[in-house]
Amino acid sequence: MATTAQDVRAIALSLPGSSEKLAWGMPTFRVGGKDGKNGKIFVALADDDTSIGVKCPMEERAELIAAEPEKFFIRPGHDDNYAWLRVRLAAVQDAAELRSILTDSWLQAAPKRLAAAHPELGG
């Protein structure tokens, strides 16, 4: 069963210190920041609700895309110089895999103290 934008929202907002803010006409999910709204983006939902962008170390992107091109991709010319990866929601196996992807991204964006306070997430 494909994951949905609603699944992304529910999981993203369940992660500690997370909030939602509209940016560039798209929902973005952030962590940290003094007011809970201006933290670092760890996931952005595409305007058509079919894919998300998540933080991913640049050195890991090519391997992920090569292993699962139906799931992972970048937008050439747009994502080239950023530590971001796109994920097609229809290709994500289930909510557990989506949670894993979002948690990995959250860990990269979360303040170190917040991540360390949640060892169950890998921080």
Side-chain angles (χ1 to χ4, degrees), residues 7 13 29 39 51 53 78 95 99 117 121:
D7 297 326
L13 292 175
F29 300 88
S51 66
H78 189 270
R99 179 172 290 282
L121 298 176

Side-chain angles (χ1 to χ4, degrees), residues 10-88:
I11 294 169
L13 292 175
S14 75
L15 295 168
S18 297
S19 63
E20 182 175 349
K21 181 178 181 181
L22 198 63
W24 310 288
M26 300 177 293
T28 63
F29 300 88
R30 300 162 184 251
V31 61
K34 293 186 184 203
D35 62 3
K37 296 280 186 189
N38 293 318
K40 291 184 180 178
I41 298 172
F42 69 95
V43 61
L45 190 58
D47 55 6
D48 64 1
D49 288 353
T50 64
S51 66
I52 57 174
V54 294
K55 293 189 73 60
C56 178
M58 291 182 77
E59 61 273 8
E60 294 178 17
R61 294 188 319 180
E63 185 177 336
L64 288 168
I65 293 167
E68 297 184 84
E70 72 288 348
K71 185 181 300 177
F72 300 114
F73 68 104
I74 62 169
R75 282 183 30 207
H78 189 270
D79 298 331
D80 297 339
N81 298 314
Y82 299 100
W84 282 86
L85 180 69
R86 309 284 172 140
V87 182
R88 291 180 184 92

